[in-house]
Amino acid sequence: MSRSLRVANGGSIRRTRLLSFSFNGTLYSGFEGDTLASALLANNVRTVHRSFKYHRPRGVVGSGAEEPNSIVQVGSGSKATPNLRATQIELYDGLTARSVSGWPSLRVDLYALNGLLGRLLPAGFYYKTFMRPRFLWSWYEHFIRKAAGLGQAPREADLDHYDKLNIHCDVLIVGGGPTGLMAARAAGRAGARVIMADEQAEMGGSLLSSTASIGGKKPGDWVETVVSELTRMPEVILLPRSTVTGYYDHNFLVINERRTDHLERPDPRLRRERIWRVRASQVVLATGAIERPLVFSNNDKPGVMLASAVSTYLVRYGVLPGRKIVFFTNNDSAYQTVLQLVDAGMEVVAVVDVRSDPQGDLIQQVRSAGVPIFEGHVVVDVRGGTSGLRMVLIARVNKTLDEILSHKGELRCDVLAVSGGWNPVVHLHAQSGGKPVFNEECASFLPGPSVQNERSAGAGNGTFGLADCLREGAEAGRRAAQDAGLTGDGSVDIPKVESHVEGSLHPIWVVPNGLAEGRGGKKFVDLQNDTTVADIRLAAREGYRSVEHLKRYTALGFGTDQGKLGNINGMAILADVLGQAPGKIGTTTFRPNYTPVTFGAIAGREIGSTFFDPTRKTAVHQWHVENGAEFEDVGQWKRPWYYPLPGETMNEAVRRECLATRESLGILDASTLGKIEIRGPDSAEFLNRIYTNSWLTLEIGRCRYGLMLGEDGMVMDDGVTSRIGEDHYLMTTTTGGAAHVLAWMERWLQTEWPHLRVYLTSVTDHWFVTSVAGPNSREILTKLCTDIDFSADAFPFMSVRAGTVAGIPARVYRISFSGELAYEINVSANYGRSLWQAIMTAGQSLNITPYGTEAMHVLRAEKGYIIVGQDTDGSVTPGDLGMDWIVSNGKDCIGKRSLSRQDTRRENRKQLVGLTTVDPTLVLPEGAQLLNEPAKEFPAPMVGHVTSSYFSPSLRHSIALALVKGGRSREGSMVYAQLIDGRVIPATIGQPKFFDPENQRQKV
Amino acid sequence: MKNKYSIFSLARNAVTYHENWREAWRSPEPRKGYDVIVIGGGGHGLATAYYLASEHGIRNVAVLEKNWIGGGNTGRNTTIVRSNYLWDESAHLYEKSLRLWEGLSQKLNYNVMFSQRGVMNLGHTLQDMRDIERRSNANYLNGIDSEVLRPEQIRQIVPIMNTSPHARYPVLGASFQRRGGVARHDAVAWGFARAADREGVDILQNCEVTGILRHNGAVTGVETNRGRIQAKKVGVVVAGHSSVIASMAGLRLPIESHPLQALVSEPLKPILHTVVMSNAVHGYISQSDKGELVIGAGVDSYTGYGQRGSFSVVEGNIGAIVELFPVFSRVRMLRQWGGIVDVCPDACPIIGKTPIRGLYFNCGWGTGGFKATPGSGWVFAHTIARGEPHSLNAAFTLERFSTGALIDEHGAAGVAH
Amino acid sequence: MLEINCPWCGPRDQIEFSCGGEAHIVRPLEPENLSDDDWADYLFYRKNPEGRHHEQWCHTAGCRKWFNAIRNTVTYQFETVYRIGEDLPEKTSR
């Protein structure tokens, strides 16, 4: 039966607001202001978790981000959230949580058998076994995987939304405790734009669980005064529930703000979390410190807690985690908690202090309060089970704390509060590039010299007394504002606080238990990963002596708490084993994130069909939609792929579109091709350098096809460029290559040829372009446009004219990608649909047929026109395409030199050829690999591959383009496409040109 | 074999509280000289030393590591192993490696947890699918297992993936190599180190090379922070720091070093049972045996030796993962880190001789080095031992940058992980 | 996350820029007269220093101007930025 451990009064919980919640299916109640952990403790729920490896029962140890044990799954369905720490979950009415381990239940966990086999499972045991027989590894692995892992990923998509915010500030203050508050006050008064972020629900930090008066006020009142002053400053932003999770280069920091998880029924319009992307001029790290546990036998049992956590639960939440509490410490800070308990009228059984003669004001006070102090003693072992501790066993220890002198029997208790000293939270300092330095006095790492514009203050800087923290915080805030260039007066009065003389800490990394090393109850260093002292010793023995090896071999610090409790102890133990000073072996690298961050928040709004990547649509997109087009993604563009009539298959539609174009009239939306304006007196010279062919002689009103190479000689892009005026050209590029080509040309111009007077402008989106192709295209153009002479002589192939089409100012190009007589009409994009509509109407009698990219591909493949990126792949030269003619001999151009290298001159390079299948109905799959003869064994020598392949409706047989080794000299010989599905399709090599090889039709 | 790892030795040592395990590798003092010095104690370097000893009988070998072994890219990658490369040269090299992976735990007597759970490469556009067909057919003819999956088959294997046709870039299909998978990265370094040590190789940690000693155009040894060490041959396998060592020998390389980031989520119960990679949506992901989602982010465009990259790369990458796996939106990112990848213009390695006699380089693996670890060591050992490349690495010379015979895996892999 | 001082626009976030790699690689005036090795050196071989590095950046999402920078490839700190065509700063301070 559980008894309530809530004390009668005290704490900052709102007792008038009773909340009900469930844990592992049982209903409990708590108060507003509780965390899940404090509410569970209040309900006397001792065991909240089963450990990773040995499945030992575990209880709440800490009270914040450092908590390694109380990992729970909250909510269900689309709101399920795995792996939250109960110590950081704010209670709300109706909260449901369950533990993430224990099978079949938390109380009776059959995996606890692992605990009995514990001796067989030392660190790295898996590296030493499960090797034979080889085929069984996947079987072993199945069970290993099942046993591992914590919570469950939701099975439904997340309905919540997340936001990001970019901001600059003068001073970012991390941590809203006494140090941070003073820093914010000072910086704010100096006029700085300040952001202060704190991971807790309210500002105050350690003051939230303090009872000492500050400036003559109760700590809570003092915090309120400061917060209200800060709130009145317009340039100060206070961010509660906001963790600074990462410190990146150039003072860029990431804050993860949690906005709705604490709400019972959040407004669905609220964003669940927000990522603040902060560029701070100066940073003040007032991150505080985390209490260090002590490492002794069975130190993982439910009921062993940090002394600071006991204090927090009592003072802040009004929960007394036990009725009979024993303290175990090596420093003075725990005595403060003892006094808080005594003041609250609670029973403290005893204090066990490893120091043989602890001196300090607090110790005197505890002594005079009548609490027994066992000096020079240690806790050697504890007894207890899933429902809490029963007793601790204590013993006298020698001065060097490594030998038990005599066992002193037991102390009955239900909670053991431990304190091994304090570890300043140096994570962000280290992430910023700083190297933490070991400090003997506090036996931990302190921030080293700053690398970026940051300064640490307060407990995070190893300054532990409240008075010193307040002073250091104010100073840090004032100086940060100054360094950020603020000239305002940042002076603040330091409130008076009671101070006391403290004795020094006596570090103890492993508490002896009177038995030989490794004997007796396990001594845990990393609770979440079940790393023990024996594991660390084993790792060192086996040669894993670098701290990084230790971490990786024993999993020390690899848990979701990232070793906030265990790492320093672990490193010090390793140092001890190696006979080195802890400072010598250093720490493992501190990496983002300080605490885990929701994926959804990091992704922000840039997901989903709308925002993952911009979608580009042409001016006539809606018409395509209305007319049933299927679309293809090409780069960011949506291009009509084909336009099926009701009941039509893709093949049928494509066939119809192709035949209509060849026989009468087809219309294509060609707007997506990249269009770049090139202007300036040196434009021709520029084109001459960029394209392989010559551009100096192109007349106004004429167009030319150009091929662009990378400097490595490989085909990069192609397109038609026209000369519009004296110093005015318009280049077209492939749809996917447009942005790259523009950027690439800009780079040549700016960095290599700045003397060329050439200006480039992307005009892709400014123009709507439609290609009207087919024998009747001249007829329809003549019908729609009266101010251009469309006769073959007046308007020859590869030229451009300006005029008015359907009443719209237009440029009309006579160019063709289909091999038919064809015109490309360019109008301002705003007129796109009206032009399209007019052509469709005018073309009705000519059976005008819109065709998509698939039919376009068929038509161009019939002609042997390549598509860069489909028929080329970055390893293809102009020569490989049979286009040596386009590389001018008389001049240099980008990439030309690369064409005369040994390998690019080679005879048997893969060359573009046409293929016709022996069975004309069979269409070779694109991507089919070609062999000279069907393979009898593998690997089989491949001679090429199919790049484009279609059934040609006009020719009534299949056609394909392929790259084949030495292909041009092999006309008439056979190759075999041997496919992954086992089929072998024979085909004959021919010219890469199937339809109208003399190019008569486009020139009529 | 003394101190052989097995369930029996584990049980035997349990009786003595595991106090009698021997160190996995010795920590010897450097000798005056060696037949071969391998610079770089990552997986590739340790594998090279192991195969020099075990395949070629060259045991007077030292591996020089400036920090701790396996601490570079070996311990910083996303552990994907596959061999479904496009071009014959790379396919054969990676397939050799995959075959070595398949018996590696047994050969090394160290469980590297090579888990053949399949690697899926998604296609999102028609061109992606053409490339997938092309690569899969090539793999098939090269004797490498490969399948092409349709969306409904993908849904069966990875039901949590967003295969909606309404996605921004819908999944149109995938290639699938069932023999591909993941391995425990650290264990690969440690396993090779232990096995090499047993063959007599000296592994010298905290031994930083500061100079390459040469005489008459031939290498004679190295200068280190632990003194001068002579060597008849020196093999350099230092990934991101290749250019740094090269400059000590007066060489330049066609390489740039870039930050490559990766990250893990908090551990989850098993939910993703295969490796999924997407170039178009740009993310790759698997779930480790510990339950963490292991996610590869992109390469930063600038040169960087800082083992860290930019947050924006991580943002884009996680966006891609949430786009592909909407159920991971509420999962949390635990930790991120960066490695330094040595990128070649054609995304393929350089394994072979240099203009300096006796000096060999193995570098340029870019983002794809982990899967090659055993194969890279195997061919590099052969190259150093014989003074000539093996046929498997004959194409991966420095000369290819002059002749133009590049092996361009960019097109096939985008990011060649 | 770098903050890059565009010499035309001032300091902006890295996401607005693209990096073009090593600076001051001059395209040979007469490529045809180069040996294959020399051409390869221009085309592919790079200094790739660990430390002080001259590189090209472009303010892609801003003024679209290319410029040069000296940046440390280990600390990622920029020493200076300068416009194309400007003399390489002899002695610079942060």
Side-chain angles (χ1 to χ4, degrees), chain A residues 158-347:
Chain A
D158 192 356
L159 298 179
D160 276 311
H161 295 277
Y162 303 86
D163 243 341
K164 289 187 195 176
L165 194 148
N166 291 286
I167 194 165
H168 287 78
C169 68
D170 296 316
V171 182
L172 171 64
I173 296 164
V174 187
T179 309
L181 286 168
M182 287 301 280
R185 209 176 198 183
R189 286 185 185 180
R193 293 172 301 161
V194 174
I195 298 175
M196 182 163 72
D198 191 280
E199 62 182 353
Q200 303 211 53
E202 52 194 318
M203 298 295 162
S206 61
L207 297 178
L208 297 172
S209 46
S210 163
T211 43
S213 81
I214 171 166
K217 291 181 173 165
K218 285 185 180 166
D221 295 341
W222 183 80
V223 170
E224 213 178 296
T225 315
V226 180
V227 167
S228 83
E229 179 188 340
L230 293 172
T231 312
R232 286 194 305 273
M233 295 181 182
E235 296 286 6
V236 173
I237 299 174
L238 301 183
L239 294 177
R241 299 189 180 90
S242 299
T243 309
V244 179
T245 56
Y247 198 141
Y248 299 84
D249 285 293
H250 300 185
N251 259 23
F252 179 87
L253 296 96
V254 171
I255 306 177
N256 179 207
E257 182 192 9
R258 296 166 296 277
R259 296 165 65 82
T260 65
D261 269 9
H262 61 290
L263 301 174
E264 212 172 293
R265 269 180 293 276
D267 184 331
R269 287 169 302 180
L270 287 179
R271 306 288 161 172
R272 181 175 173 234
E273 295 183 19
R274 182 185 276 168
I275 293 287
W276 292 63
R277 306 168 89 256
V278 185
R279 187 78 70 177
S281 175
Q282 296 288 323
V283 173
V284 175
L285 298 175
T287 47
I290 293 173
E291 197 164 35
R292 191 159 61 215
L294 289 164
V295 179
F296 51 92
S297 283
N298 293 315
N299 59 335
D300 66 322
K301 296 226 168 195
V304 178
M305 299 176 76
L306 295 177
S308 56
V310 170
S311 162
T312 298
Y313 289 117
L314 175 69
V315 177
R316 188 165 171 196
Y317 301 107
V319 176
L320 190 62
R323 301 278 165 186
K324 289 189 295 196
I325 303 185
V326 171
F327 281 77
F328 180 21
T329 186
N330 68 346
N331 67 92
D332 283 12
S333 71
Y335 287 86
Q336 189 89 57
T337 308
V338 175
L339 291 171
Q340 285 173 340
L341 288 167
V342 170
D343 287 347
M346 307 300 160
E347 184 192 344

Side-chain angles (χ1 to χ4, degrees), chain A residues 87-110:
Chain A
T87 51
Q88 294 186 299
I89 300 168
E90 292 176 54
L91 200 66
Y92 55 83
D93 197 50
L95 180 142
T96 62
R98 59 189 168 80
S99 45
V100 296
S101 54
W103 185 85
S105 77
L106 196 56
R107 192 161 268 275
V108 184
D109 183 354
L110 292 183

Side-chain angles (χ1 to χ4, degrees), chain A residues 83 119 127 131 134 141 145 158 160 519 541-542 544 549 552 597 599-600 608 613 903 926 940, chain B residues 18-19 24 69 102 106 110-111 115 117 130 141 169 184 186 267 289 308 323 329-331 333 403:
Chain A
N83 299 349
R119 291 258 296 276
Y127 301 128
M131 282 179 278
R134 207 182 102 188
E141 195 188 27
R145 283 172 78 84
D158 192 356
D160 276 311
R519 313 320 194 253
R541 190 176 304 131
E542 292 195 280
Y544 303 92
H549 279 161
R552 289 152 184 268
V597 183
F599 276 11
D613 200 30
D903 193 69
E926 288 168 347
Chain B
H18 300 287
E19 279 167 7
I69 60 167
E102 284 174 325
Q106 292 70 30
Y110 202 106
N111 192 350
S115 166
R117 61 182 72 165
R130 287 182 201 107
L141 291 169
Y169 292 110
R184 173 83 181 95
D186 294 323
D289 285 345
R308 64 189 190 280
E323 178 71 10
S329 173
R330 296 175 89 85
V331 171
M333 167 177 147
T403 64

Side-chain angles (χ1 to χ4, degrees), chain B residues 206-356:
Chain B
N206 302 309
C207 182
E208 181 171 6
V209 171
T210 53
I212 306 284
L213 303 172
R214 287 158 286 159
H215 186 66
N216 287 340
V219 74
T220 58
V222 296
E223 201 71 67
T224 77
N225 61 343
R226 292 169 72 173
R228 175 171 293 198
I229 311 175
Q230 286 162 352
K232 295 176 189 141
K233 294 178 175 180
V234 173
V236 183
V237 212
V238 295
H241 284 83
S242 296
S243 300
V244 178
I245 299 285
S247 73
M248 290 178 192
L251 300 174
R252 254 153 65 99
L253 293 172
I255 277 182
E256 286 188 301
S257 299
H258 292 274
L260 172 67
Q261 298 181 81
L263 58 100
V264 293
S265 75
E266 296 184 295
L268 301 166
K269 288 291 172 206
I271 182 163
L272 181 63
H273 308 288
T274 188
V275 182
V276 177
M277 313 175 70
S278 165
N279 287 334
V281 172
H282 206 94
Y284 48 107
I285 181 168
S286 66
Q287 188 177 19
S288 73
D289 285 345
K290 227 188 132 198
E292 297 164 332
L293 299 174
V294 182
I295 295 169
V299 176
D300 275 286
S301 63
Y302 50 81
T303 303
Y305 284 88
Q307 292 191 329
R308 64 189 190 280
S310 307
F311 184 64
S312 52
V313 173
V314 170
E315 289 175 294
N317 184 238
I318 288 189
I321 294 300
V322 176
E323 178 71 10
L324 274 178
F325 298 96
V327 298
F328 290 156
S329 173
R330 296 175 89 85
V331 171
R332 300 192 298 175
M333 167 177 147
L334 179 60
R335 184 172 62 243
Q336 70 172 92
W337 63 91
I340 313 166
V341 293
D342 39 336
V343 180
C344 258
D346 57 354
C348 276
I350 299 162
I351 318 165
K353 299 195 273 188
T354 65
I356 295 165

Side-chain angles (χ1 to χ4, degrees), chain A residues 491-603:
Chain A
S491 58
V492 281
D493 292 335
I494 311 298
K496 283 214 160 35
V497 293
E498 192 189 335
S499 68
H500 33 250
V501 177
E502 284 206 13
S504 60
L505 166 150
H506 192 163
I508 177 167
W509 305 113
V510 180
V511 178
N513 60 7
L515 300 172
E517 209 33 71
R519 313 320 194 253
K522 284 186 168 34
K523 300 172 180 175
F524 288 90
V525 181
D526 182 318
L527 290 170
Q528 195 174 98
N529 279 338
D530 274 352
T531 308
T532 65
V533 174
D535 290 329
I536 294 174
R537 288 180 190 276
L538 174 65
R541 190 176 304 131
E542 292 195 280
Y544 303 92
R545 287 170 198 146
S546 144
V547 279
E548 291 284 355
H549 279 161
L550 173 76
K551 166 179 165 182
R552 289 152 184 268
Y553 192 65
T554 65
L556 172 76
F558 258 125
T560 62
D561 57 328
Q562 302 251 51
K564 290 189 179 66
L565 291 187
N567 272 5
I568 303 296
N569 281 335
M571 290 163 204
I573 293 166
L574 176 69
D576 190 45
V577 173
L578 300 180
Q580 292 179 353
K584 186 96 189 298
I585 67 160
T587 65
T588 51
T589 314
F590 293 88
R591 299 192 176 284
N593 300 327
Y594 175 66
T595 52
V597 183
T598 308
F599 276 11
I602 299 172

